[in-house]
Amino acid sequence: MKKVLTYGTFDLLHRGHVRLLKRAAALGDYLIVGLSTDEFNAIKGKKAYTSYADRKYILEAIRYVDEVIPERDWEQKVKDVQVNQVDIFVMGDDWQGKFDFLKDYCQVVYLPRTQGISTTKIKEDLEKKGRG
């Protein structure tokens, strides 16, 4: 069985998220999603609109996702790859090169982002509407 691992916050879920999950799942037989906890997002200076528990619930309902694990810090990736016997690590190409250190443990793939959509754009659009 070929295992694939990706990470993210997956807040305000949109088609770009679903496309990433679909393409990541297509690379193997079992997709694991490392989901940033609320506490880790705070360390990163991010605030998700949706709680960790709700984001996890939504991800688990997506047919491409087989398992969701908590992402608590930057350093856990090597351990997660090893413990879960991951074959392929996947991230969006906006992270190009940032996770190449994992090539010692598994294949690393950077997938192109979906153009025209992002959580940041959604938040900006909502803020503009609120001011309208």
Side-chain angles (χ1 to χ4, degrees), residues 55-83:
R55 289 181 285 120
K56 183 176 187 282
Y57 180 83
I58 292 165
L59 282 173
E60 289 174 337
I62 296 173
R63 67 179 170 191
Y64 308 114
V65 177
D66 294 294
E67 182 178 355
V68 178
I69 61 173
E71 179 188 27
R72 293 187 173 96
D73 59 62
W74 290 111
E75 292 76 33
Q76 77 183 66
K77 288 175 180 59
V78 170
K79 181 178 147 206
D80 287 348
V81 166
Q82 292 174 322
V83 166

PDB file of all heavy atoms in Angstrom, residues 55-83:
ATOM      1  N   ARG A  55     -12.847  21.458  11.513  1.00  0.00           N
ATOM      2  CA  ARG A  55     -12.074  21.240  10.292  1.00  0.00           C
ATOM      3  C   ARG A  55     -11.759  19.755  10.118  1.00  0.00           C
ATOM      4  O   ARG A  55     -11.821  19.213   9.014  1.00  0.00           O
ATOM      5  CB  ARG A  55     -10.788  22.077  10.313  1.00  0.00           C
ATOM      6  CG  ARG A  55     -11.063  23.572  10.153  1.00  0.00           C
ATOM      7  CD  ARG A  55      -9.807  24.436  10.146  1.00  0.00           C
ATOM      8  NE  ARG A  55      -9.256  24.560  11.483  1.00  0.00           N
ATOM      9  CZ  ARG A  55      -8.039  24.165  11.855  1.00  0.00           C
ATOM     10  NH1 ARG A  55      -7.217  23.631  10.979  1.00  0.00           N
ATOM     11  NH2 ARG A  55      -7.632  24.319  13.103  1.00  0.00           N
ATOM     12  N   LYS A  56     -11.450  19.077  11.225  1.00  0.00           N
ATOM     13  CA  LYS A  56     -11.178  17.637  11.191  1.00  0.00           C
ATOM     14  C   LYS A  56     -12.433  16.872  10.756  1.00  0.00           C
ATOM     15  O   LYS A  56     -12.369  15.972   9.910  1.00  0.00           O
ATOM     16  CB  LYS A  56     -10.704  17.163  12.568  1.00  0.00           C
ATOM     17  CG  LYS A  56     -10.328  15.693  12.636  1.00  0.00           C
ATOM     18  CD  LYS A  56      -9.773  15.354  14.029  1.00  0.00           C
ATOM     19  CE  LYS A  56      -9.218  13.962  14.117  1.00  0.00           C
ATOM     20  NZ  LYS A  56     -10.223  12.923  14.234  1.00  0.00           N
ATOM     21  N   TYR A  57     -13.568  17.248  11.306  1.00  0.00           N
ATOM     22  CA  TYR A  57     -14.843  16.605  10.969  1.00  0.00           C
ATOM     23  C   TYR A  57     -15.125  16.731   9.458  1.00  0.00           C
ATOM     24  O   TYR A  57     -15.512  15.761   8.807  1.00  0.00           O
ATOM     25  CB  TYR A  57     -15.952  17.262  11.787  1.00  0.00           C
ATOM     26  CG  TYR A  57     -17.332  16.702  11.541  1.00  0.00           C
ATOM     27  CD1 TYR A  57     -17.762  15.553  12.197  1.00  0.00           C
ATOM     28  CD2 TYR A  57     -18.209  17.325  10.655  1.00  0.00           C
ATOM     29  CE1 TYR A  57     -19.031  15.037  11.979  1.00  0.00           C
ATOM     30  CE2 TYR A  57     -19.478  16.809  10.429  1.00  0.00           C
ATOM     31  CZ  TYR A  57     -19.875  15.668  11.091  1.00  0.00           C
ATOM     32  OH  TYR A  57     -21.130  15.156  10.866  1.00  0.00           O
ATOM     33  N   ILE A  58     -14.898  17.918   8.921  1.00  0.00           N
ATOM     34  CA  ILE A  58     -15.139  18.165   7.494  1.00  0.00           C
ATOM     35  C   ILE A  58     -14.177  17.346   6.644  1.00  0.00           C
ATOM     36  O   ILE A  58     -14.592  16.691   5.678  1.00  0.00           O
ATOM     37  CB  ILE A  58     -15.030  19.674   7.179  1.00  0.00           C
ATOM     38  CG1 ILE A  58     -16.189  20.431   7.829  1.00  0.00           C
ATOM     39  CG2 ILE A  58     -15.003  19.915   5.665  1.00  0.00           C
ATOM     40  CD1 ILE A  58     -15.993  21.943   7.883  1.00  0.00           C
ATOM     41  N   LEU A  59     -12.890  17.359   6.991  1.00  0.00           N
ATOM     42  CA  LEU A  59     -11.906  16.594   6.214  1.00  0.00           C
ATOM     43  C   LEU A  59     -12.214  15.100   6.221  1.00  0.00           C
ATOM     44  O   LEU A  59     -12.079  14.429   5.203  1.00  0.00           O
ATOM     45  CB  LEU A  59     -10.492  16.829   6.748  1.00  0.00           C
ATOM     46  CG  LEU A  59      -9.829  18.136   6.361  1.00  0.00           C
ATOM     47  CD1 LEU A  59      -8.511  18.297   7.096  1.00  0.00           C
ATOM     48  CD2 LEU A  59      -9.617  18.222   4.851  1.00  0.00           C
ATOM     49  N   GLU A  60     -12.628  14.585   7.368  1.00  0.00           N
ATOM     50  CA  GLU A  60     -12.933  13.152   7.462  1.00  0.00           C
ATOM     51  C   GLU A  60     -14.134  12.772   6.602  1.00  0.00           C
ATOM     52  O   GLU A  60     -14.293  11.596   6.257  1.00  0.00           O
ATOM     53  CB  GLU A  60     -13.164  12.762   8.920  1.00  0.00           C
ATOM     54  CG  GLU A  60     -11.881  12.774   9.725  1.00  0.00           C
ATOM     55  CD  GLU A  60     -12.083  12.537  11.210  1.00  0.00           C
ATOM     56  OE1 GLU A  60     -13.183  12.776  11.731  1.00  0.00           O
ATOM     57  OE2 GLU A  60     -11.096  12.113  11.855  1.00  0.00           O
ATOM     58  N   ALA A  61     -14.960  13.732   6.238  1.00  0.00           N
ATOM     59  CA  ALA A  61     -16.127  13.459   5.394  1.00  0.00           C
ATOM     60  C   ALA A  61     -15.772  13.459   3.904  1.00  0.00           C
ATOM     61  O   ALA A  61     -16.589  13.042   3.085  1.00  0.00           O
ATOM     62  CB  ALA A  61     -17.217  14.502   5.660  1.00  0.00           C
ATOM     63  N   ILE A  62     -14.573  13.883   3.559  1.00  0.00           N
ATOM     64  CA  ILE A  62     -14.155  13.942   2.157  1.00  0.00           C
ATOM     65  C   ILE A  62     -13.651  12.572   1.730  1.00  0.00           C
ATOM     66  O   ILE A  62     -12.781  11.985   2.382  1.00  0.00           O
ATOM     67  CB  ILE A  62     -13.090  15.030   1.952  1.00  0.00           C
ATOM     68  CG1 ILE A  62     -13.704  16.403   2.251  1.00  0.00           C
ATOM     69  CG2 ILE A  62     -12.516  14.989   0.541  1.00  0.00           C
ATOM     70  CD1 ILE A  62     -12.713  17.540   2.236  1.00  0.00           C
ATOM     71  N   ARG A  63     -14.162  12.078   0.632  1.00  0.00           N
ATOM     72  CA  ARG A  63     -13.863  10.701   0.216  1.00  0.00           C
ATOM     73  C   ARG A  63     -12.394  10.436  -0.090  1.00  0.00           C
ATOM     74  O   ARG A  63     -11.947   9.295  -0.057  1.00  0.00           O
ATOM     75  CB  ARG A  63     -14.713  10.309  -0.984  1.00  0.00           C
ATOM     76  CG  ARG A  63     -14.383  11.061  -2.243  1.00  0.00           C
ATOM     77  CD  ARG A  63     -15.241  10.603  -3.382  1.00  0.00           C
ATOM     78  NE  ARG A  63     -15.097  11.485  -4.528  1.00  0.00           N
ATOM     79  CZ  ARG A  63     -15.875  11.442  -5.560  1.00  0.00           C
ATOM     80  NH1 ARG A  63     -16.854  10.576  -5.611  1.00  0.00           N
ATOM     81  NH2 ARG A  63     -15.686  12.267  -6.563  1.00  0.00           N
ATOM     82  N   TYR A  64     -11.618  11.470  -0.385  1.00  0.00           N
ATOM     83  CA  TYR A  64     -10.206  11.278  -0.707  1.00  0.00           C
ATOM     84  C   TYR A  64      -9.338  11.094   0.532  1.00  0.00           C
ATOM     85  O   TYR A  64      -8.216  10.618   0.442  1.00  0.00           O
ATOM     86  CB  TYR A  64      -9.682  12.480  -1.513  1.00  0.00           C
ATOM     87  CG  TYR A  64     -10.541  12.802  -2.706  1.00  0.00           C
ATOM     88  CD1 TYR A  64     -11.256  13.984  -2.769  1.00  0.00           C
ATOM     89  CD2 TYR A  64     -10.658  11.906  -3.763  1.00  0.00           C
ATOM     90  CE1 TYR A  64     -12.063  14.288  -3.861  1.00  0.00           C
ATOM     91  CE2 TYR A  64     -11.467  12.193  -4.855  1.00  0.00           C
ATOM     92  CZ  TYR A  64     -12.166  13.378  -4.891  1.00  0.00           C
ATOM     93  OH  TYR A  64     -12.968  13.661  -5.964  1.00  0.00           O
ATOM     94  N   VAL A  65      -9.856  11.481   1.688  1.00  0.00           N
ATOM     95  CA  VAL A  65      -9.087  11.472   2.940  1.00  0.00           C
ATOM     96  C   VAL A  65      -9.355  10.185   3.706  1.00  0.00           C
ATOM     97  O   VAL A  65     -10.497   9.860   4.014  1.00  0.00           O
ATOM     98  CB  VAL A  65      -9.447  12.702   3.804  1.00  0.00           C
ATOM     99  CG1 VAL A  65      -8.714  12.658   5.138  1.00  0.00           C
ATOM    100  CG2 VAL A  65      -9.158  13.996   3.055  1.00  0.00           C
ATOM    101  N   ASP A  66      -8.272   9.482   4.040  1.00  0.00           N
ATOM    102  CA  ASP A  66      -8.406   8.243   4.800  1.00  0.00           C
ATOM    103  C   ASP A  66      -8.178   8.438   6.296  1.00  0.00           C
ATOM    104  O   ASP A  66      -8.736   7.703   7.111  1.00  0.00           O
ATOM    105  CB  ASP A  66      -7.421   7.196   4.268  1.00  0.00           C
ATOM    106  CG  ASP A  66      -7.765   6.792   2.852  1.00  0.00           C
ATOM    107  OD1 ASP A  66      -8.833   6.187   2.639  1.00  0.00           O
ATOM    108  OD2 ASP A  66      -6.970   7.109   1.931  1.00  0.00           O
ATOM    109  N   GLU A  67      -7.342   9.419   6.645  1.00  0.00           N
ATOM    110  CA  GLU A  67      -7.004   9.622   8.059  1.00  0.00           C
ATOM    111  C   GLU A  67      -6.577  11.070   8.264  1.00  0.00           C
ATOM    112  O   GLU A  67      -5.915  11.658   7.407  1.00  0.00           O
ATOM    113  CB  GLU A  67      -5.849   8.680   8.435  1.00  0.00           C
ATOM    114  CG  GLU A  67      -5.423   8.730   9.861  1.00  0.00           C
ATOM    115  CD  GLU A  67      -4.302   7.734  10.176  1.00  0.00           C
ATOM    116  OE1 GLU A  67      -3.915   6.936   9.307  1.00  0.00           O
ATOM    117  OE2 GLU A  67      -3.804   7.777  11.317  1.00  0.00           O
ATOM    118  N   VAL A  68      -6.941  11.628   9.409  1.00  0.00           N
ATOM    119  CA  VAL A  68      -6.529  12.984   9.785  1.00  0.00           C
ATOM    120  C   VAL A  68      -5.754  12.889  11.092  1.00  0.00           C
ATOM    121  O   VAL A  68      -6.225  12.277  12.055  1.00  0.00           O
ATOM    122  CB  VAL A  68      -7.746  13.925   9.952  1.00  0.00           C
ATOM    123  CG1 VAL A  68      -7.298  15.316  10.393  1.00  0.00           C
ATOM    124  CG2 VAL A  68      -8.547  14.013   8.648  1.00  0.00           C
ATOM    125  N   ILE A  69      -4.553  13.469  11.094  1.00  0.00           N
ATOM    126  CA  ILE A  69      -3.727  13.504  12.304  1.00  0.00           C
ATOM    127  C   ILE A  69      -3.452  14.967  12.659  1.00  0.00           C
ATOM    128  O   ILE A  69      -3.456  15.832  11.783  1.00  0.00           O
ATOM    129  CB  ILE A  69      -2.400  12.728  12.121  1.00  0.00           C
ATOM    130  CG1 ILE A  69      -1.553  13.341  10.995  1.00  0.00           C
ATOM    131  CG2 ILE A  69      -2.676  11.249  11.871  1.00  0.00           C
ATOM    132  CD1 ILE A  69      -0.159  12.735  10.856  1.00  0.00           C
ATOM    133  N   PRO A  70      -3.223  15.266  13.939  1.00  0.00           N
ATOM    134  CA  PRO A  70      -2.956  16.655  14.314  1.00  0.00           C
ATOM    135  C   PRO A  70      -1.533  17.085  13.954  1.00  0.00           C
ATOM    136  O   PRO A  70      -0.575  16.329  14.152  1.00  0.00           O
ATOM    137  CB  PRO A  70      -3.160  16.653  15.831  1.00  0.00           C
ATOM    138  CG  PRO A  70      -2.904  15.250  16.252  1.00  0.00           C
ATOM    139  CD  PRO A  70      -3.313  14.375  15.095  1.00  0.00           C
ATOM    140  N   GLU A  71      -1.417  18.290  13.430  1.00  0.00           N
ATOM    141  CA  GLU A  71      -0.107  18.913  13.214  1.00  0.00           C
ATOM    142  C   GLU A  71       0.077  19.915  14.356  1.00  0.00           C
ATOM    143  O   GLU A  71      -0.626  20.919  14.414  1.00  0.00           O
ATOM    144  CB  GLU A  71      -0.028  19.618  11.866  1.00  0.00           C
ATOM    145  CG  GLU A  71       1.318  20.278  11.638  1.00  0.00           C
ATOM    146  CD  GLU A  71       1.381  21.144  10.393  1.00  0.00           C
ATOM    147  OE1 GLU A  71       0.345  21.671   9.956  1.00  0.00           O
ATOM    148  OE2 GLU A  71       2.504  21.306   9.870  1.00  0.00           O
ATOM    149  N   ARG A  72       1.040  19.629  15.225  1.00  0.00           N
ATOM    150  CA  ARG A  72       1.238  20.446  16.425  1.00  0.00           C
ATOM    151  C   ARG A  72       2.464  21.351  16.363  1.00  0.00           C
ATOM    152  O   ARG A  72       2.586  22.291  17.128  1.00  0.00           O
ATOM    153  CB  ARG A  72       1.341  19.543  17.645  1.00  0.00           C
ATOM    154  CG  ARG A  72       0.041  18.823  17.952  1.00  0.00           C
ATOM    155  CD  ARG A  72       0.120  18.062  19.274  1.00  0.00           C
ATOM    156  NE  ARG A  72      -1.181  17.532  19.619  1.00  0.00           N
ATOM    157  CZ  ARG A  72      -1.579  16.293  19.346  1.00  0.00           C
ATOM    158  NH1 ARG A  72      -0.769  15.467  18.715  1.00  0.00           N
ATOM    159  NH2 ARG A  72      -2.782  15.883  19.705  1.00  0.00           N
ATOM    160  N   ASP A  73       3.436  21.003  15.466  1.00  0.00           N
ATOM    161  CA  ASP A  73       4.647  21.810  15.349  1.00  0.00           C
ATOM    162  C   ASP A  73       5.334  21.534  14.013  1.00  0.00           C
ATOM    163  O   ASP A  73       5.005  20.580  13.325  1.00  0.00           O
ATOM    164  CB  ASP A  73       5.604  21.564  16.522  1.00  0.00           C
ATOM    165  CG  ASP A  73       6.036  20.114  16.631  1.00  0.00           C
ATOM    166  OD1 ASP A  73       6.679  19.606  15.689  1.00  0.00           O
ATOM    167  OD2 ASP A  73       5.725  19.475  17.661  1.00  0.00           O
ATOM    168  N   TRP A  74       6.296  22.385  13.677  1.00  0.00           N
ATOM    169  CA  TRP A  74       7.013  22.258  12.402  1.00  0.00           C
ATOM    170  C   TRP A  74       7.878  21.005  12.365  1.00  0.00           C
ATOM    171  O   TRP A  74       8.089  20.424  11.294  1.00  0.00           O
ATOM    172  CB  TRP A  74       7.922  23.472  12.175  1.00  0.00           C
ATOM    173  CG  TRP A  74       7.206  24.745  11.890  1.00  0.00           C
ATOM    174  CD1 TRP A  74       7.133  25.837  12.704  1.00  0.00           C
ATOM    175  CD2 TRP A  74       6.455  25.086  10.718  1.00  0.00           C
ATOM    176  NE1 TRP A  74       6.385  26.825  12.108  1.00  0.00           N
ATOM    177  CE2 TRP A  74       5.955  26.392  10.884  1.00  0.00           C
ATOM    178  CE3 TRP A  74       6.147  24.403   9.539  1.00  0.00           C
ATOM    179  CZ2 TRP A  74       5.182  27.037   9.931  1.00  0.00           C
ATOM    180  CZ3 TRP A  74       5.375  25.050   8.581  1.00  0.00           C
ATOM    181  CH2 TRP A  74       4.903  26.342   8.782  1.00  0.00           C
ATOM    182  N   GLU A  75       8.401  20.590  13.502  1.00  0.00           N
ATOM    183  CA  GLU A  75       9.406  19.533  13.551  1.00  0.00           C
ATOM    184  C   GLU A  75       8.856  18.118  13.434  1.00  0.00           C
ATOM    185  O   GLU A  75       9.624  17.175  13.283  1.00  0.00           O
ATOM    186  CB  GLU A  75      10.229  19.647  14.849  1.00  0.00           C
ATOM    187  CG  GLU A  75      11.122  20.865  14.911  1.00  0.00           C
ATOM    188  CD  GLU A  75      10.381  22.159  15.205  1.00  0.00           C
ATOM    189  OE1 GLU A  75       9.377  22.131  15.950  1.00  0.00           O
ATOM    190  OE2 GLU A  75      10.784  23.213  14.675  1.00  0.00           O
ATOM    191  N   GLN A  76       7.564  17.916  13.488  1.00  0.00           N
ATOM    192  CA  GLN A  76       7.014  16.561  13.552  1.00  0.00           C
ATOM    193  C   GLN A  76       6.980  15.826  12.214  1.00  0.00           C
ATOM    194  O   GLN A  76       6.715  14.631  12.177  1.00  0.00           O
ATOM    195  CB  GLN A  76       5.609  16.593  14.149  1.00  0.00           C
ATOM    196  CG  GLN A  76       4.526  17.078  13.182  1.00  0.00           C
ATOM    197  CD  GLN A  76       3.171  17.156  13.831  1.00  0.00           C
ATOM    198  OE1 GLN A  76       2.969  17.966  14.730  1.00  0.00           O
ATOM    199  NE2 GLN A  76       2.260  16.322  13.401  1.00  0.00           N
ATOM    200  N   LYS A  77       7.253  16.500  11.119  1.00  0.00           N
ATOM    201  CA  LYS A  77       7.063  15.887   9.806  1.00  0.00           C
ATOM    202  C   LYS A  77       7.901  14.632   9.582  1.00  0.00           C
ATOM    203  O   LYS A  77       7.395  13.629   9.078  1.00  0.00           O
ATOM    204  CB  LYS A  77       7.274  16.925   8.708  1.00  0.00           C
ATOM    205  CG  LYS A  77       6.122  17.916   8.674  1.00  0.00           C
ATOM    206  CD  LYS A  77       6.342  19.030   7.688  1.00  0.00           C
ATOM    207  CE  LYS A  77       5.185  19.990   7.685  1.00  0.00           C
ATOM    208  NZ  LYS A  77       4.904  20.638   8.963  1.00  0.00           N
ATOM    209  N   VAL A  78       9.176  14.663   9.940  1.00  0.00           N
ATOM    210  CA  VAL A  78      10.026  13.481   9.757  1.00  0.00           C
ATOM    211  C   VAL A  78       9.457  12.312  10.556  1.00  0.00           C
ATOM    212  O   VAL A  78       9.327  11.199  10.045  1.00  0.00           O
ATOM    213  CB  VAL A  78      11.487  13.765  10.167  1.00  0.00           C
ATOM    214  CG1 VAL A  78      12.296  12.469  10.214  1.00  0.00           C
ATOM    215  CG2 VAL A  78      12.132  14.753   9.200  1.00  0.00           C
ATOM    216  N   LYS A  79       9.095  12.574  11.799  1.00  0.00           N
ATOM    217  CA  LYS A  79       8.531  11.517  12.652  1.00  0.00           C
ATOM    218  C   LYS A  79       7.222  10.982  12.051  1.00  0.00           C
ATOM    219  O   LYS A  79       7.002   9.765  12.011  1.00  0.00           O
ATOM    220  CB  LYS A  79       8.301  12.053  14.056  1.00  0.00           C
ATOM    221  CG  LYS A  79       7.750  11.029  15.018  1.00  0.00           C
ATOM    222  CD  LYS A  79       7.581  11.611  16.408  1.00  0.00           C
ATOM    223  CE  LYS A  79       6.383  10.972  17.050  1.00  0.00           C
ATOM    224  NZ  LYS A  79       5.743  11.762  18.049  1.00  0.00           N
ATOM    225  N   ASP A  80       6.358  11.893  11.578  1.00  0.00           N
ATOM    226  CA  ASP A  80       5.091  11.456  10.983  1.00  0.00           C
ATOM    227  C   ASP A  80       5.327  10.574   9.761  1.00  0.00           C
ATOM    228  O   ASP A  80       4.643   9.567   9.569  1.00  0.00           O
ATOM    229  CB  ASP A  80       4.229  12.656  10.590  1.00  0.00           C
ATOM    230  CG  ASP A  80       3.608  13.368  11.784  1.00  0.00           C
ATOM    231  OD1 ASP A  80       3.639  12.826  12.906  1.00  0.00           O
ATOM    232  OD2 ASP A  80       3.080  14.480  11.579  1.00  0.00           O
ATOM    233  N   VAL A  81       6.292  10.945   8.931  1.00  0.00           N
ATOM    234  CA  VAL A  81       6.624  10.151   7.746  1.00  0.00           C
ATOM    235  C   VAL A  81       7.091   8.759   8.165  1.00  0.00           C
ATOM    236  O   VAL A  81       6.651   7.745   7.604  1.00  0.00           O
ATOM    237  CB  VAL A  81       7.697  10.865   6.883  1.00  0.00           C
ATOM    238  CG1 VAL A  81       8.297   9.911   5.851  1.00  0.00           C
ATOM    239  CG2 VAL A  81       7.093  12.091   6.189  1.00  0.00           C
ATOM    240  N   GLN A  82       7.954   8.713   9.165  1.00  0.00           N
ATOM    241  CA  GLN A  82       8.496   7.431   9.610  1.00  0.00           C
ATOM    242  C   GLN A  82       7.446   6.564  10.305  1.00  0.00           C
ATOM    243  O   GLN A  82       7.285   5.386   9.965  1.00  0.00           O
ATOM    244  CB  GLN A  82       9.686   7.658  10.548  1.00  0.00           C
ATOM    245  CG  GLN A  82      10.880   8.257   9.847  1.00  0.00           C
ATOM    246  CD  GLN A  82      12.005   8.618  10.788  1.00  0.00           C
ATOM    247  OE1 GLN A  82      11.771   9.098  11.908  1.00  0.00           O
ATOM    248  NE2 GLN A  82      13.243   8.394  10.362  1.00  0.00           N
ATOM    249  N   VAL A  83       6.732   7.126  11.261  1.00  0.00           N
ATOM    250  CA  VAL A  83       5.748   6.370  12.045  1.00  0.00           C
ATOM    251  C   VAL A  83       4.621   5.839  11.149  1.00  0.00           C
ATOM    252  O   VAL A  83       4.162   4.710  11.322  1.00  0.00           O
ATOM    253  CB  VAL A  83       5.174   7.238  13.189  1.00  0.00           C
ATOM    254  CG1 VAL A  83       3.933   6.618  13.804  1.00  0.00           C
ATOM    255  CG2 VAL A  83       6.231   7.494  14.245  1.00  0.00           C
TER     256      VAL A  83
END
